[in-house]
């Protein structure tokens, strides 16, 4: 098995398991905690970011699974893309599939980070943070590649 594939599988499992254990604690063990800046409070999100599309709550898990399957097929056909972005892809799959599992297990995504200092922000979870980190990594890689290409063109 390719080294990058092994690394991505390990990253996936670590993030996925940590996220599910934490969500289990909030959903079943009452891990809520109030703080002056941020609180840890159980909330269920029936939609996606900022509860958008919550009217699709019952079907959202199937729509998201189809998106993951289509993305996986695309990556199988474009393996060079996977090997270039294997770390953020592992992050995306771990966070995304963990949130999808929540929909099957709890009927909604388990959220618990609640920022309320100066302004109130949406409640989110570790998987959401990981997904955003993956997007940031992809953007950074794209910027680095773009700058390198510009440098190579000017050097010619």
């Amino acid at each position: 098995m390719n080294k990058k594939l092994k690394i991505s599988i390990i990253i996936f499992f670590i993030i996925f398991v940590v996220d599910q254990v934490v969500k289990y604690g909030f959903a079943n063990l009452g891990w809520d905690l109030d703080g002056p800046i941020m609180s840890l409070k159980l909330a269920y999100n029936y939609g996606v970011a900022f509860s958008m599309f919550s009217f699709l709550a019952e079907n959202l898990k199937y729509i998201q699974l189809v998106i993951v399957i289509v993305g996986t097929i695309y990556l199988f056909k474009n393996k060079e893309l996977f090997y270039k972005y294997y770390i953020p892809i592992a992050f995306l799959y771990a966070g995304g599939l963990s949130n999808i599992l929540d929909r099957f297990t709890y009927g909604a995504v388990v959220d618990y980070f609640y920022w309320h200092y100066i302004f109130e922000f949406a409640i989110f979870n570790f998987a959401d943070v990981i997904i955003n980190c993956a997007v940031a990594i992809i953007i950074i890689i794209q910027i680095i590649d773009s700058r390198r290409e510009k440098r190579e063109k000017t050097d010619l």
Side-chain angles (χ1 to χ4, degrees):
M1 186 184 297
N2 182 304
K3 182 180 176 182
K4 289 182 177 181
L5 181 59
K6 285 180 189 176
I7 291 169
S8 66
I9 290 170
I10 291 167
I11 290 169
F12 169 86
F13 278 112
I14 291 169
I15 292 171
F16 186 87
V17 169
V18 167
D19 188 56
Q20 284 297 306
V21 167
V22 171
K23 288 174 176 176
Y24 180 87
F26 279 97
N28 297 296
L29 304 175
W31 285 3
D32 289 6
L33 180 67
D34 285 325
I37 295 172
M38 186 177 78
S39 296
L40 301 173
K41 289 198 170 290
L42 174 63
Y44 292 100
N45 185 351
Y46 296 93
V48 292
F50 306 104
S51 296
M52 292 186 300
F53 305 113
S54 57
F55 63 92
L56 293 171
E58 203 49 43
N59 297 314
L60 208 47
K61 57 190 166 199
Y62 301 112
I63 294 167
Q64 290 174 321
L65 271 178
V66 168
I67 292 168
V68 169
I69 291 167
V70 169
T72 303
I73 292 168
Y74 183 81
L75 287 172
F76 270 114
K77 291 185 176 197
N78 298 280
K79 288 182 174 65
E80 73 284 346
L81 195 64
F82 171 79
Y83 291 119
K84 181 175 182 178
Y85 298 103
Y86 69 100
I87 291 175
I89 287 171
F91 281 29
L92 285 171
Y93 272 73
L97 288 173
S98 184
N99 281 345
I100 292 170
L101 180 60
D102 288 0
R103 293 184 188 286
F104 283 98
T105 307
Y106 304 106
V109 175
V110 175
D111 286 335
Y112 46 85
F113 288 122
Y114 173 50
W115 178 274
H116 53 77
Y117 181 71
I118 301 174
F119 62 92
E120 288 191 21
F121 191 71
I123 299 177
F124 57 97
N125 63 39
F126 177 64
D128 298 335
V129 172
I130 290 298
I131 291 167
N132 283 293
C133 287
V135 171
I137 293 167
I138 291 169
I139 291 169
I140 290 167
I141 292 170
Q142 287 291 304
I143 291 169
I144 291 168
D145 286 351
S146 175
R147 288 181 178 172
R148 186 177 352 96
E149 286 175 17
K150 283 181 184 177
R151 249 183 284 123
E152 288 172 0
K153 285 181 182 177
T154 57
D155 289 344
L156 294 177

